[in-house]
Amino acid sequence: GLYGLSVDTEDPLSLCHTLFEKKYLSHCEGNFKRAVVNASVSHDLTTALGDLKRRYPNLTDDDLQSIAFTVGYDSVVASVPSPDFKRLSESCLGQPEPLQGRCISGTAVGLAKNGTPGNQDKQVKAFCELAAQKRGPQSQECPSDQALQYMKGFFPLEKFAKVCREFEMNTGVCAK
């Protein structure tokens, strides 16, 4: 590849798996997961994971969780400006935990970052409520602290405080 670098086509995240310190693994996967996710053209998590598991049989459970987050995020980007919350949630809900939760978290972050300006909170809330109806009490990752962090950067302090109250959040970024 360019500059003498290349990606292992059998295991594109192999470089990440050689790291000695586990604390760097998620950052490495975060940077290289695009090489994997782009190998699938589907924004449906079940289809994308099937494609990617066939193409890259050496993906670890951690890799798959990172990919689930990215597919959730990317499915929002592909559906803006009119995301279909039902389709987005069904894509995530078709998988077992922890993939389901990671996809839901990625979708919420995608909505927070790429949703209709000024209305991201309403879009995230609509998606999270729909996902929670299907999942029940284990849906704490929606909205994630990361999704809230984006909204905090987009909204004036008063509006963000209101968002935290609406989501009944008083920890993480809402506690600050």
PDB file of all heavy atoms in Angstrom, residues 38-74:
ATOM      1  N   ASN A  38     -16.763  -0.955   5.570  1.00  0.00           N
ATOM      2  CA  ASN A  38     -16.924  -0.589   4.165  1.00  0.00           C
ATOM      3  C   ASN A  38     -16.945  -1.798   3.239  1.00  0.00           C
ATOM      4  O   ASN A  38     -17.310  -1.684   2.079  1.00  0.00           O
ATOM      5  CB  ASN A  38     -15.847   0.404   3.742  1.00  0.00           C
ATOM      6  CG  ASN A  38     -16.050   1.762   4.373  1.00  0.00           C
ATOM      7  OD1 ASN A  38     -17.138   2.097   4.826  1.00  0.00           O
ATOM      8  ND2 ASN A  38     -14.995   2.555   4.422  1.00  0.00           N
ATOM      9  N   ALA A  39     -16.574  -2.961   3.748  1.00  0.00           N
ATOM     10  CA  ALA A  39     -16.634  -4.180   2.946  1.00  0.00           C
ATOM     11  C   ALA A  39     -18.076  -4.665   2.772  1.00  0.00           C
ATOM     12  O   ALA A  39     -18.356  -5.495   1.918  1.00  0.00           O
ATOM     13  CB  ALA A  39     -15.789  -5.285   3.578  1.00  0.00           C
ATOM     14  N   SER A  40     -18.989  -4.181   3.561  1.00  0.00           N
ATOM     15  CA  SER A  40     -20.405  -4.526   3.433  1.00  0.00           C
ATOM     16  C   SER A  40     -21.156  -3.302   2.939  1.00  0.00           C
ATOM     17  O   SER A  40     -20.918  -2.195   3.393  1.00  0.00           O
ATOM     18  CB  SER A  40     -20.984  -4.964   4.780  1.00  0.00           C
ATOM     19  OG  SER A  40     -22.377  -5.191   4.652  1.00  0.00           O
ATOM     20  N   VAL A  41     -22.079  -3.514   2.034  1.00  0.00           N
ATOM     21  CA  VAL A  41     -22.850  -2.385   1.511  1.00  0.00           C
ATOM     22  C   VAL A  41     -24.161  -2.205   2.264  1.00  0.00           C
ATOM     23  O   VAL A  41     -24.903  -1.282   2.007  1.00  0.00           O
ATOM     24  CB  VAL A  41     -23.140  -2.555   0.000  1.00  0.00           C
ATOM     25  CG1 VAL A  41     -21.849  -2.511  -0.789  1.00  0.00           C
ATOM     26  CG2 VAL A  41     -23.900  -3.835  -0.266  1.00  0.00           C
ATOM     27  N   SER A  42     -24.442  -3.080   3.217  1.00  0.00           N
ATOM     28  CA  SER A  42     -25.724  -3.037   3.915  1.00  0.00           C
ATOM     29  C   SER A  42     -25.656  -2.186   5.175  1.00  0.00           C
ATOM     30  O   SER A  42     -24.661  -2.206   5.899  1.00  0.00           O
ATOM     31  CB  SER A  42     -26.160  -4.449   4.300  1.00  0.00           C
ATOM     32  OG  SER A  42     -27.382  -4.405   4.995  1.00  0.00           O
ATOM     33  N   HIS A  43     -26.744  -1.459   5.438  1.00  0.00           N
ATOM     34  CA  HIS A  43     -26.862  -0.707   6.690  1.00  0.00           C
ATOM     35  C   HIS A  43     -27.770  -1.450   7.666  1.00  0.00           C
ATOM     36  O   HIS A  43     -28.093  -0.927   8.725  1.00  0.00           O
ATOM     37  CB  HIS A  43     -27.397   0.702   6.422  1.00  0.00           C
ATOM     38  CG  HIS A  43     -26.436   1.542   5.642  1.00  0.00           C
ATOM     39  ND1 HIS A  43     -25.237   1.980   6.147  1.00  0.00           N
ATOM     40  CD2 HIS A  43     -26.488   1.984   4.378  1.00  0.00           C
ATOM     41  CE1 HIS A  43     -24.596   2.661   5.230  1.00  0.00           C
ATOM     42  NE2 HIS A  43     -25.330   2.687   4.143  1.00  0.00           N
ATOM     43  N   ASP A  44     -28.150  -2.666   7.314  1.00  0.00           N
ATOM     44  CA  ASP A  44     -28.897  -3.531   8.222  1.00  0.00           C
ATOM     45  C   ASP A  44     -27.867  -4.360   8.979  1.00  0.00           C
ATOM     46  O   ASP A  44     -27.023  -5.022   8.358  1.00  0.00           O
ATOM     47  CB  ASP A  44     -29.851  -4.434   7.442  1.00  0.00           C
ATOM     48  CG  ASP A  44     -30.515  -5.443   8.349  1.00  0.00           C
ATOM     49  OD1 ASP A  44     -31.412  -5.043   9.115  1.00  0.00           O
ATOM     50  OD2 ASP A  44     -30.115  -6.624   8.305  1.00  0.00           O
ATOM     51  N   LEU A  45     -27.924  -4.344  10.300  1.00  0.00           N
ATOM     52  CA  LEU A  45     -26.887  -4.982  11.104  1.00  0.00           C
ATOM     53  C   LEU A  45     -26.795  -6.479  10.842  1.00  0.00           C
ATOM     54  O   LEU A  45     -25.699  -7.016  10.692  1.00  0.00           O
ATOM     55  CB  LEU A  45     -27.123  -4.711  12.594  1.00  0.00           C
ATOM     56  CG  LEU A  45     -26.059  -5.270  13.535  1.00  0.00           C
ATOM     57  CD1 LEU A  45     -24.686  -4.686  13.209  1.00  0.00           C
ATOM     58  CD2 LEU A  45     -26.418  -4.989  14.976  1.00  0.00           C
ATOM     59  N   THR A  46     -27.918  -7.168  10.751  1.00  0.00           N
ATOM     60  CA  THR A  46     -27.892  -8.620  10.530  1.00  0.00           C
ATOM     61  C   THR A  46     -27.209  -8.952   9.209  1.00  0.00           C
ATOM     62  O   THR A  46     -26.340  -9.820   9.145  1.00  0.00           O
ATOM     63  CB  THR A  46     -29.321  -9.193  10.572  1.00  0.00           C
ATOM     64  OG1 THR A  46     -29.892  -8.894  11.846  1.00  0.00           O
ATOM     65  CG2 THR A  46     -29.317 -10.694  10.355  1.00  0.00           C
ATOM     66  N   THR A  47     -27.572  -8.235   8.155  1.00  0.00           N
ATOM     67  CA  THR A  47     -26.972  -8.470   6.836  1.00  0.00           C
ATOM     68  C   THR A  47     -25.493  -8.108   6.844  1.00  0.00           C
ATOM     69  O   THR A  47     -24.656  -8.870   6.348  1.00  0.00           O
ATOM     70  CB  THR A  47     -27.718  -7.654   5.763  1.00  0.00           C
ATOM     71  OG1 THR A  47     -29.102  -7.992   5.811  1.00  0.00           O
ATOM     72  CG2 THR A  47     -27.165  -7.927   4.376  1.00  0.00           C
ATOM     73  N   ALA A  48     -25.171  -6.948   7.413  1.00  0.00           N
ATOM     74  CA  ALA A  48     -23.774  -6.502   7.441  1.00  0.00           C
ATOM     75  C   ALA A  48     -22.896  -7.478   8.218  1.00  0.00           C
ATOM     76  O   ALA A  48     -21.812  -7.850   7.757  1.00  0.00           O
ATOM     77  CB  ALA A  48     -23.677  -5.105   8.050  1.00  0.00           C
ATOM     78  N   LEU A  49     -23.363  -7.917   9.391  1.00  0.00           N
ATOM     79  CA  LEU A  49     -22.555  -8.860  10.181  1.00  0.00           C
ATOM     80  C   LEU A  49     -22.375 -10.184   9.446  1.00  0.00           C
ATOM     81  O   LEU A  49     -21.288 -10.768   9.476  1.00  0.00           O
ATOM     82  CB  LEU A  49     -23.187  -9.089  11.550  1.00  0.00           C
ATOM     83  CG  LEU A  49     -23.050  -7.946  12.542  1.00  0.00           C
ATOM     84  CD1 LEU A  49     -23.793  -8.269  13.837  1.00  0.00           C
ATOM     85  CD2 LEU A  49     -21.593  -7.617  12.835  1.00  0.00           C
ATOM     86  N   GLY A  50     -23.425 -10.664   8.787  1.00  0.00           N
ATOM     87  CA  GLY A  50     -23.299 -11.902   8.002  1.00  0.00           C
ATOM     88  C   GLY A  50     -22.253 -11.755   6.912  1.00  0.00           C
ATOM     89  O   GLY A  50     -21.383 -12.620   6.743  1.00  0.00           O
ATOM     90  N   ASP A  51     -22.318 -10.638   6.173  1.00  0.00           N
ATOM     91  CA  ASP A  51     -21.330 -10.371   5.115  1.00  0.00           C
ATOM     92  C   ASP A  51     -19.921 -10.348   5.686  1.00  0.00           C
ATOM     93  O   ASP A  51     -19.004 -10.962   5.146  1.00  0.00           O
ATOM     94  CB  ASP A  51     -21.580  -8.992   4.468  1.00  0.00           C
ATOM     95  CG  ASP A  51     -22.844  -8.909   3.645  1.00  0.00           C
ATOM     96  OD1 ASP A  51     -23.461  -9.954   3.363  1.00  0.00           O
ATOM     97  OD2 ASP A  51     -23.218  -7.760   3.293  1.00  0.00           O
ATOM     98  N   LEU A  52     -19.755  -9.616   6.772  1.00  0.00           N
ATOM     99  CA  LEU A  52     -18.418  -9.394   7.323  1.00  0.00           C
ATOM    100  C   LEU A  52     -17.853 -10.645   7.993  1.00  0.00           C
ATOM    101  O   LEU A  52     -16.653 -10.909   7.903  1.00  0.00           O
ATOM    102  CB  LEU A  52     -18.444  -8.214   8.284  1.00  0.00           C
ATOM    103  CG  LEU A  52     -18.818  -6.882   7.617  1.00  0.00           C
ATOM    104  CD1 LEU A  52     -19.031  -5.797   8.653  1.00  0.00           C
ATOM    105  CD2 LEU A  52     -17.767  -6.469   6.600  1.00  0.00           C
ATOM    106  N   LYS A  53     -18.699 -11.439   8.633  1.00  0.00           N
ATOM    107  CA  LYS A  53     -18.205 -12.689   9.250  1.00  0.00           C
ATOM    108  C   LYS A  53     -17.736 -13.666   8.180  1.00  0.00           C
ATOM    109  O   LYS A  53     -16.753 -14.387   8.388  1.00  0.00           O
ATOM    110  CB  LYS A  53     -19.304 -13.331  10.102  1.00  0.00           C
ATOM    111  CG  LYS A  53     -19.548 -12.625  11.415  1.00  0.00           C
ATOM    112  CD  LYS A  53     -20.695 -13.316  12.157  1.00  0.00           C
ATOM    113  CE  LYS A  53     -21.062 -12.646  13.434  1.00  0.00           C
ATOM    114  NZ  LYS A  53     -22.194 -13.299  14.104  1.00  0.00           N
ATOM    115  N   ARG A  54     -18.423 -13.679   7.044  1.00  0.00           N
ATOM    116  CA  ARG A  54     -17.980 -14.564   5.941  1.00  0.00           C
ATOM    117  C   ARG A  54     -16.669 -14.062   5.353  1.00  0.00           C
ATOM    118  O   ARG A  54     -15.769 -14.846   5.058  1.00  0.00           O
ATOM    119  CB  ARG A  54     -19.047 -14.633   4.843  1.00  0.00           C
ATOM    120  CG  ARG A  54     -20.191 -15.569   5.150  1.00  0.00           C
ATOM    121  CD  ARG A  54     -21.123 -15.765   3.956  1.00  0.00           C
ATOM    122  NE  ARG A  54     -21.835 -14.555   3.588  1.00  0.00           N
ATOM    123  CZ  ARG A  54     -22.910 -14.091   4.214  1.00  0.00           C
ATOM    124  NH1 ARG A  54     -23.385 -14.735   5.255  1.00  0.00           N
ATOM    125  NH2 ARG A  54     -23.504 -12.983   3.810  1.00  0.00           N
ATOM    126  N   ARG A  55     -16.578 -12.779   5.194  1.00  0.00           N
ATOM    127  CA  ARG A  55     -15.379 -12.211   4.569  1.00  0.00           C
ATOM    128  C   ARG A  55     -14.177 -12.222   5.512  1.00  0.00           C
ATOM    129  O   ARG A  55     -13.042 -12.424   5.080  1.00  0.00           O
ATOM    130  CB  ARG A  55     -15.683 -10.786   4.129  1.00  0.00           C
ATOM    131  CG  ARG A  55     -14.559 -10.173   3.354  1.00  0.00           C
ATOM    132  CD  ARG A  55     -14.977  -8.851   2.768  1.00  0.00           C
ATOM    133  NE  ARG A  55     -13.880  -8.339   1.986  1.00  0.00           N
ATOM    134  CZ  ARG A  55     -14.011  -7.646   0.889  1.00  0.00           C
ATOM    135  NH1 ARG A  55     -15.196  -7.397   0.426  1.00  0.00           N
ATOM    136  NH2 ARG A  55     -12.974  -7.198   0.252  1.00  0.00           N
ATOM    137  N   TYR A  56     -14.428 -11.961   6.805  1.00  0.00           N
ATOM    138  CA  TYR A  56     -13.352 -11.879   7.795  1.00  0.00           C
ATOM    139  C   TYR A  56     -13.648 -12.822   8.956  1.00  0.00           C
ATOM    140  O   TYR A  56     -14.116 -12.389  10.013  1.00  0.00           O
ATOM    141  CB  TYR A  56     -13.212 -10.446   8.324  1.00  0.00           C
ATOM    142  CG  TYR A  56     -13.020  -9.404   7.249  1.00  0.00           C
ATOM    143  CD1 TYR A  56     -13.974  -8.422   7.024  1.00  0.00           C
ATOM    144  CD2 TYR A  56     -11.871  -9.388   6.467  1.00  0.00           C
ATOM    145  CE1 TYR A  56     -13.802  -7.458   6.041  1.00  0.00           C
ATOM    146  CE2 TYR A  56     -11.692  -8.439   5.487  1.00  0.00           C
ATOM    147  CZ  TYR A  56     -12.653  -7.471   5.275  1.00  0.00           C
ATOM    148  OH  TYR A  56     -12.476  -6.522   4.313  1.00  0.00           O
ATOM    149  N   PRO A  57     -13.380 -14.105   8.804  1.00  0.00           N
ATOM    150  CA  PRO A  57     -13.739 -15.070   9.843  1.00  0.00           C
ATOM    151  C   PRO A  57     -12.967 -14.906  11.160  1.00  0.00           C
ATOM    152  O   PRO A  57     -13.357 -15.481  12.168  1.00  0.00           O
ATOM    153  CB  PRO A  57     -13.438 -16.421   9.197  1.00  0.00           C
ATOM    154  CG  PRO A  57     -12.474 -16.128   8.093  1.00  0.00           C
ATOM    155  CD  PRO A  57     -12.768 -14.731   7.643  1.00  0.00           C
ATOM    156  N   ASN A  58     -11.916 -14.110  11.173  1.00  0.00           N
ATOM    157  CA  ASN A  58     -11.105 -13.948  12.389  1.00  0.00           C
ATOM    158  C   ASN A  58     -11.556 -12.789  13.273  1.00  0.00           C
ATOM    159  O   ASN A  58     -10.886 -12.461  14.245  1.00  0.00           O
ATOM    160  CB  ASN A  58      -9.627 -13.752  12.024  1.00  0.00           C
ATOM    161  CG  ASN A  58      -9.051 -14.972  11.336  1.00  0.00           C
ATOM    162  OD1 ASN A  58      -9.470 -16.088  11.605  1.00  0.00           O
ATOM    163  ND2 ASN A  58      -8.115 -14.753  10.437  1.00  0.00           N
ATOM    164  N   LEU A  59     -12.678 -12.158  12.959  1.00  0.00           N
ATOM    165  CA  LEU A  59     -13.141 -11.044  13.790  1.00  0.00           C
ATOM    166  C   LEU A  59     -13.480 -11.541  15.192  1.00  0.00           C
ATOM    167  O   LEU A  59     -14.141 -12.559  15.353  1.00  0.00           O
ATOM    168  CB  LEU A  59     -14.378 -10.385  13.167  1.00  0.00           C
ATOM    169  CG  LEU A  59     -14.159  -9.664  11.842  1.00  0.00           C
ATOM    170  CD1 LEU A  59     -15.498  -9.234  11.241  1.00  0.00           C
ATOM    171  CD2 LEU A  59     -13.240  -8.467  12.032  1.00  0.00           C
ATOM    172  N   THR A  60     -13.021 -10.806  16.186  1.00  0.00           N
ATOM    173  CA  THR A  60     -13.280 -11.172  17.579  1.00  0.00           C
ATOM    174  C   THR A  60     -14.624 -10.607  18.028  1.00  0.00           C
ATOM    175  O   THR A  60     -15.229  -9.784  17.335  1.00  0.00           O
ATOM    176  CB  THR A  60     -12.183 -10.614  18.501  1.00  0.00           C
ATOM    177  OG1 THR A  60     -12.280  -9.184  18.506  1.00  0.00           O
ATOM    178  CG2 THR A  60     -10.787 -11.065  18.066  1.00  0.00           C
ATOM    179  N   ASP A  61     -15.068 -11.000  19.208  1.00  0.00           N
ATOM    180  CA  ASP A  61     -16.302 -10.443  19.765  1.00  0.00           C
ATOM    181  C   ASP A  61     -16.179  -8.929  19.944  1.00  0.00           C
ATOM    182  O   ASP A  61     -17.131  -8.194  19.688  1.00  0.00           O
ATOM    183  CB  ASP A  61     -16.637 -11.099  21.108  1.00  0.00           C
ATOM    184  CG  ASP A  61     -17.119 -12.539  20.946  1.00  0.00           C
ATOM    185  OD1 ASP A  61     -17.491 -12.922  19.814  1.00  0.00           O
ATOM    186  OD2 ASP A  61     -17.128 -13.265  21.950  1.00  0.00           O
ATOM    187  N   ASP A  62     -15.002  -8.460  20.379  1.00  0.00           N
ATOM    188  CA  ASP A  62     -14.784  -7.017  20.522  1.00  0.00           C
ATOM    189  C   ASP A  62     -14.884  -6.317  19.167  1.00  0.00           C
ATOM    190  O   ASP A  62     -15.457  -5.235  19.061  1.00  0.00           O
ATOM    191  CB  ASP A  62     -13.420  -6.715  21.151  1.00  0.00           C
ATOM    192  CG  ASP A  62     -13.367  -7.021  22.637  1.00  0.00           C
ATOM    193  OD1 ASP A  62     -14.434  -7.112  23.271  1.00  0.00           O
ATOM    194  OD2 ASP A  62     -12.247  -7.162  23.160  1.00  0.00           O
ATOM    195  N   ASP A  63     -14.313  -6.942  18.128  1.00  0.00           N
ATOM    196  CA  ASP A  63     -14.404  -6.381  16.779  1.00  0.00           C
ATOM    197  C   ASP A  63     -15.864  -6.245  16.363  1.00  0.00           C
ATOM    198  O   ASP A  63     -16.284  -5.211  15.840  1.00  0.00           O
ATOM    199  CB  ASP A  63     -13.707  -7.279  15.753  1.00  0.00           C
ATOM    200  CG  ASP A  63     -12.225  -7.438  15.969  1.00  0.00           C
ATOM    201  OD1 ASP A  63     -11.611  -6.581  16.632  1.00  0.00           O
ATOM    202  OD2 ASP A  63     -11.677  -8.437  15.465  1.00  0.00           O
ATOM    203  N   LEU A  64     -16.638  -7.299  16.596  1.00  0.00           N
ATOM    204  CA  LEU A  64     -18.047  -7.301  16.191  1.00  0.00           C
ATOM    205  C   LEU A  64     -18.847  -6.236  16.942  1.00  0.00           C
ATOM    206  O   LEU A  64     -19.737  -5.601  16.367  1.00  0.00           O
ATOM    207  CB  LEU A  64     -18.651  -8.690  16.383  1.00  0.00           C
ATOM    208  CG  LEU A  64     -18.071  -9.775  15.484  1.00  0.00           C
ATOM    209  CD1 LEU A  64     -18.613 -11.137  15.873  1.00  0.00           C
ATOM    210  CD2 LEU A  64     -18.329  -9.483  14.011  1.00  0.00           C
ATOM    211  N   GLN A  65     -18.525  -6.012  18.208  1.00  0.00           N
ATOM    212  CA  GLN A  65     -19.215  -4.964  18.960  1.00  0.00           C
ATOM    213  C   GLN A  65     -18.890  -3.585  18.391  1.00  0.00           C
ATOM    214  O   GLN A  65     -19.777  -2.727  18.255  1.00  0.00           O
ATOM    215  CB  GLN A  65     -18.835  -5.034  20.439  1.00  0.00           C
ATOM    216  CG  GLN A  65     -19.440  -6.229  21.142  1.00  0.00           C
ATOM    217  CD  GLN A  65     -19.019  -6.279  22.589  1.00  0.00           C
ATOM    218  OE1 GLN A  65     -19.093  -5.275  23.281  1.00  0.00           O
ATOM    219  NE2 GLN A  65     -18.585  -7.451  23.033  1.00  0.00           N
ATOM    220  N   SER A  66     -17.632  -3.364  18.044  1.00  0.00           N
ATOM    221  CA  SER A  66     -17.228  -2.100  17.452  1.00  0.00           C
ATOM    222  C   SER A  66     -17.926  -1.905  16.105  1.00  0.00           C
ATOM    223  O   SER A  66     -18.395  -0.806  15.780  1.00  0.00           O
ATOM    224  CB  SER A  66     -15.706  -2.086  17.283  1.00  0.00           C
ATOM    225  OG  SER A  66     -15.266  -0.868  16.754  1.00  0.00           O
ATOM    226  N   ILE A  67     -18.024  -2.975  15.339  1.00  0.00           N
ATOM    227  CA  ILE A  67     -18.693  -2.919  14.036  1.00  0.00           C
ATOM    228  C   ILE A  67     -20.182  -2.649  14.210  1.00  0.00           C
ATOM    229  O   ILE A  67     -20.773  -1.868  13.464  1.00  0.00           O
ATOM    230  CB  ILE A  67     -18.432  -4.225  13.255  1.00  0.00           C
ATOM    231  CG1 ILE A  67     -16.964  -4.259  12.817  1.00  0.00           C
ATOM    232  CG2 ILE A  67     -19.386  -4.365  12.075  1.00  0.00           C
ATOM    233  CD1 ILE A  67     -16.491  -5.619  12.344  1.00  0.00           C
ATOM    234  N   ALA A  68     -20.806  -3.269  15.208  1.00  0.00           N
ATOM    235  CA  ALA A  68     -22.237  -3.050  15.454  1.00  0.00           C
ATOM    236  C   ALA A  68     -22.505  -1.576  15.738  1.00  0.00           C
ATOM    237  O   ALA A  68     -23.487  -1.006  15.243  1.00  0.00           O
ATOM    238  CB  ALA A  68     -22.729  -3.926  16.608  1.00  0.00           C
ATOM    239  N   PHE A  69     -21.653  -0.937  16.535  1.00  0.00           N
ATOM    240  CA  PHE A  69     -21.783   0.493  16.821  1.00  0.00           C
ATOM    241  C   PHE A  69     -21.704   1.288  15.519  1.00  0.00           C
ATOM    242  O   PHE A  69     -22.530   2.170  15.253  1.00  0.00           O
ATOM    243  CB  PHE A  69     -20.687   0.936  17.790  1.00  0.00           C
ATOM    244  CG  PHE A  69     -20.739   2.397  18.150  1.00  0.00           C
ATOM    245  CD1 PHE A  69     -21.400   2.801  19.300  1.00  0.00           C
ATOM    246  CD2 PHE A  69     -20.143   3.353  17.354  1.00  0.00           C
ATOM    247  CE1 PHE A  69     -21.455   4.156  19.655  1.00  0.00           C
ATOM    248  CE2 PHE A  69     -20.202   4.702  17.687  1.00  0.00           C
ATOM    249  CZ  PHE A  69     -20.858   5.095  18.841  1.00  0.00           C
ATOM    250  N   THR A  70     -20.715   0.965  14.690  1.00  0.00           N
ATOM    251  CA  THR A  70     -20.482   1.701  13.449  1.00  0.00           C
ATOM    252  C   THR A  70     -21.622   1.514  12.458  1.00  0.00           C
ATOM    253  O   THR A  70     -22.034   2.468  11.795  1.00  0.00           O
ATOM    254  CB  THR A  70     -19.147   1.270  12.819  1.00  0.00           C
ATOM    255  OG1 THR A  70     -18.115   1.488  13.784  1.00  0.00           O
ATOM    256  CG2 THR A  70     -18.836   2.062  11.562  1.00  0.00           C
ATOM    257  N   VAL A  71     -22.133   0.299  12.344  1.00  0.00           N
ATOM    258  CA  VAL A  71     -23.256   0.060  11.432  1.00  0.00           C
ATOM    259  C   VAL A  71     -24.477   0.854  11.897  1.00  0.00           C
ATOM    260  O   VAL A  71     -25.182   1.454  11.085  1.00  0.00           O
ATOM    261  CB  VAL A  71     -23.569  -1.448  11.303  1.00  0.00           C
ATOM    262  CG1 VAL A  71     -24.880  -1.685  10.552  1.00  0.00           C
ATOM    263  CG2 VAL A  71     -22.426  -2.168  10.595  1.00  0.00           C
ATOM    264  N   GLY A  72     -24.734   0.895  13.212  1.00  0.00           N
ATOM    265  CA  GLY A  72     -25.834   1.704  13.734  1.00  0.00           C
ATOM    266  C   GLY A  72     -25.649   3.174  13.381  1.00  0.00           C
ATOM    267  O   GLY A  72     -26.568   3.831  12.886  1.00  0.00           O
ATOM    268  N   TYR A  73     -24.459   3.682  13.608  1.00  0.00           N
ATOM    269  CA  TYR A  73     -24.138   5.075  13.299  1.00  0.00           C
ATOM    270  C   TYR A  73     -24.318   5.348  11.803  1.00  0.00           C
ATOM    271  O   TYR A  73     -24.976   6.305  11.404  1.00  0.00           O
ATOM    272  CB  TYR A  73     -22.703   5.372  13.739  1.00  0.00           C
ATOM    273  CG  TYR A  73     -22.263   6.792  13.482  1.00  0.00           C
ATOM    274  CD1 TYR A  73     -22.377   7.753  14.471  1.00  0.00           C
ATOM    275  CD2 TYR A  73     -21.734   7.166  12.254  1.00  0.00           C
ATOM    276  CE1 TYR A  73     -21.973   9.069  14.246  1.00  0.00           C
ATOM    277  CE2 TYR A  73     -21.334   8.466  12.014  1.00  0.00           C
ATOM    278  CZ  TYR A  73     -21.457   9.411  13.006  1.00  0.00           C
ATOM    279  OH  TYR A  73     -21.066  10.707  12.772  1.00  0.00           O
ATOM    280  N   ASP A  74     -23.727   4.489  10.977  1.00  0.00           N
ATOM    281  CA  ASP A  74     -23.769   4.692   9.530  1.00  0.00           C
ATOM    282  C   ASP A  74     -25.182   4.583   8.965  1.00  0.00           C
ATOM    283  O   ASP A  74     -25.508   5.221   7.969  1.00  0.00           O
ATOM    284  CB  ASP A  74     -22.862   3.691   8.815  1.00  0.00           C
ATOM    285  CG  ASP A  74     -21.388   4.011   8.992  1.00  0.00           C
ATOM    286  OD1 ASP A  74     -21.050   5.056   9.591  1.00  0.00           O
ATOM    287  OD2 ASP A  74     -20.558   3.198   8.528  1.00  0.00           O
TER     288      ASP A  74
END
